[in-house]
Amino acid sequence: MATTQQINSSSAAAKSKSKFGVLALIFLSVVINYMDRTNISVAAQAISDDLELSKVQMGIIFSAFAWTYSIMQIPGGMLVDSIRIRLLYPFILVAWSAATIVQGLLSSFAAIVGCRMAIGFFEAPSYPANNKIVTQWFAEQERAGAIAVYTSGQFIGLAFLMPVLAIIQQWFGWRGLFFISGGIGIIWAGVWYLLYRDPVPESEASSTDSEASTNDNNKEYQVQAAANWNNLKIAFSSRKLWGIYIGQFCLGGTLIFFLTWFPTYLAEYRGLSELNTGFVASIPFLAAFCGVLLSGFVSDWLVRKGVSNEVARKAPIIIGLLLSSSVIFANYVESTQWVTFFLSVTFFGNGLASINWVFVSLIAPKHMVGLVGGCFNFIGGLSAVTVPIAIGYLAKDGDFKPALMLVACLAVIGLCSYLFLVGKVEQIQLPALDDDGTPVPDTQVIQPLPSSSGDTK
């Protein structure tokens, strides 16, 4: 008969082999996610010309995705905590991909806004789900690297997809662009369902002796998880959490500029052709890809060397936000090469700081990873609501200089948030709760349960 140690060793080896396949699935899902978010930016000029839309109207179209994406972050995080990822992910993939296809059939401003809202609604649970998958499958000292890999999908995917999407649009028009990108997402939903498996909780592979102790802890865990309104209060009352929320908003402000107005900036303000815009726009995305991978793996390496989270996790974000503020220098150069350089440095910095999702699993109580991830992305999503419209108004006369100043200011605010609000990087500890969710006085703090990733910190 196999011993408990042999069973656990076999389970750990199987999980170690599977987790990299899981990471590949998340990576490709992120590529498709961002393809369906940003194909509108590639098609923007053609849509504007075809439907005779103003810059302010295009700003509203760019923003519409984020209206529902932001509102649904907290409910989406709760869904992630309560529904199996294997079932939830394919459903939302099919739904947002179908909405993408429908965009290609529309000819009115209001209908396109409605479709963008639908895409945002169904994409909302995706990033909380990604973060939960990584938390379940990877140990704490591996998570920044894992987050960096899947986050890089939004950069490397778009770096290569920008020119591809531009070519597709040249061949099939902006309507064909939506048909093709939406169809890819529907196919991928089937692949995800066939290949992904939720991880087996470690408690199921543990010995009978340890099960009693684990079950006792799970009772406390379940009482905490049941108190959803109390959890929501905790999620919005912690200074540490507000520090990462504000930082996510500011990072999102830079990202959303590149995902929405950047091709228009190159084509109209800098005078590049449609095809050249696709190729030049890919360069900052490659820079961001390098930034996020460098950040993630160096950060994990520092953790393994015993460097504190204040340095290993915070330093890449602080340096990245500082570099992102260099976007302001693009206002003072004329050549395409220098503009591309400063925008690439800006997006490289954004990539460095994009491991900030690791702070959700480091700071949030264990049973609230999905909820805090939803709150985190809700605040971040508000940047996608406000920034595209703000840029539309700032650039309505064709001058993008004020818009770049706005992006630089957001980077500085995000830098201050991580310096002065986040403080020491440590998990929030909660008091014990009774059955109705009220704190029990004079009791010991509930210690977080070990995660299924094997994290024992």
Side-chain angles (χ1 to χ4, degrees), residues 108-145:
S108 78
F109 167 72
I112 293 175
V113 167
C115 254
R116 295 298 296 171
M117 291 173 65
I119 294 169
F121 181 93
F122 289 112
E123 283 198 10
S126 59
Y127 257 68
N130 295 339
N131 193 59
K132 184 171 183 177
I133 293 168
V134 167
T135 301
Q136 289 176 329
W137 282 91
F138 290 84
E140 192 278 324
Q141 66 270 21
E142 300 173 321
R143 285 182 200 154

Side-chain angles (χ1 to χ4, degrees), residues 16-32 89 93 130 133-134 137-138 145-154 156 188 191-192 195-196:
S16 178
K17 183 177 180 180
S18 299
K19 65 186 180 183
F20 296 107
V22 168
L23 191 57
L25 288 175
I26 305 174
F27 174 89
L28 291 172
S29 298
V30 169
V31 171
I32 292 169
Y89 223 123
L93 263 164
N130 295 339
I133 293 168
V134 167
W137 282 91
F138 290 84
I147 289 171
V149 168
Y150 81 68
T151 302
S152 73
Q154 70 194 44
I156 190 64
W188 181 248
V191 174
W192 174 279
L195 297 182
Y196 182 77

Side-chain angles (χ1 to χ4, degrees), residues 155-166:
F155 301 125
I156 190 64
L158 292 176
F160 290 108
L161 282 175
M162 280 291 188
V164 171
L165 293 176

Side-chain angles (χ1 to χ4, degrees), residues 238-311:
S238 166
R239 187 193 71 178
K240 288 181 183 295
L241 293 179
W242 270 107
I244 65 172
Y245 296 163
I246 293 170
Q248 176 71 345
F249 178 92
C250 296
L251 275 170
T254 301
L255 178 61
I256 202 65
F257 166 73
F258 281 94
L259 296 184
T260 56
W261 283 107
F262 183 43
T264 302
Y265 167 78
L266 293 176
E268 293 190 7
Y269 189 64
R270 293 296 176 177
L272 299 182
S273 68
E274 187 176 86
L275 194 56
N276 284 338
T277 292
F279 283 99
V280 172
S282 70
I283 297 172
F285 283 95
L286 285 172
F289 166 74
C290 294
V292 70
L293 288 185
L294 176 66
S295 176
F297 289 112
V298 169
S299 179
D300 277 350
W301 179 78
L302 290 173
V303 169
R304 289 194 293 270
K305 291 294 182 181
V307 177
S308 70
N309 282 329
E310 279 67 37
V311 175

Side-chain angles (χ1 to χ4, degrees), residues 26 30 40 44 46 52 58 122 128 148 170 209 230 235 264 271 280 289 359 368 381 385 410 446:
I26 305 174
V30 169
I40 192 75
E52 299 181 349
M58 287 308 303
F122 289 112
Q170 276 204 329
D209 291 339
N230 188 65
T264 302
V280 172
F289 166 74
F359 283 90
M368 289 173 56
V385 174
L410 287 173
I446 295 178

Side-chain angles (χ1 to χ4, degrees), residues 206-262:
S206 62
S207 65
T208 303
D209 291 339
S210 67
E211 284 177 359
S213 174
T214 301
N215 288 337
D216 288 341
N217 285 334
N218 278 336
K219 290 177 183 177
E220 292 177 314
Y221 177 94
Q222 289 162 2
V223 169
Q224 292 276 8
N228 287 329
W229 288 110
N230 188 65
N231 291 344
L232 195 59
K233 180 180 177 182
I234 292 166
F236 281 109
S237 61
S238 166
R239 187 193 71 178
K240 288 181 183 295
L241 293 179
W242 270 107
I244 65 172
Y245 296 163
I246 293 170
Q248 176 71 345
F249 178 92
C250 296
L251 275 170
T254 301
L255 178 61
I256 202 65
F257 166 73
F258 281 94
L259 296 184
T260 56
W261 283 107
F262 183 43

Side-chain angles (χ1 to χ4, degrees), residues 338-360:
W338 277 110
V339 169
T340 304
F341 171 77
F342 284 119
L343 291 171
S344 296
V345 170
T346 296
F347 218 15
F348 175 80
N350 190 266
L352 277 180
S354 291
I355 63 162
N356 59 337
W357 266 99
V358 76
F359 283 90
V360 173

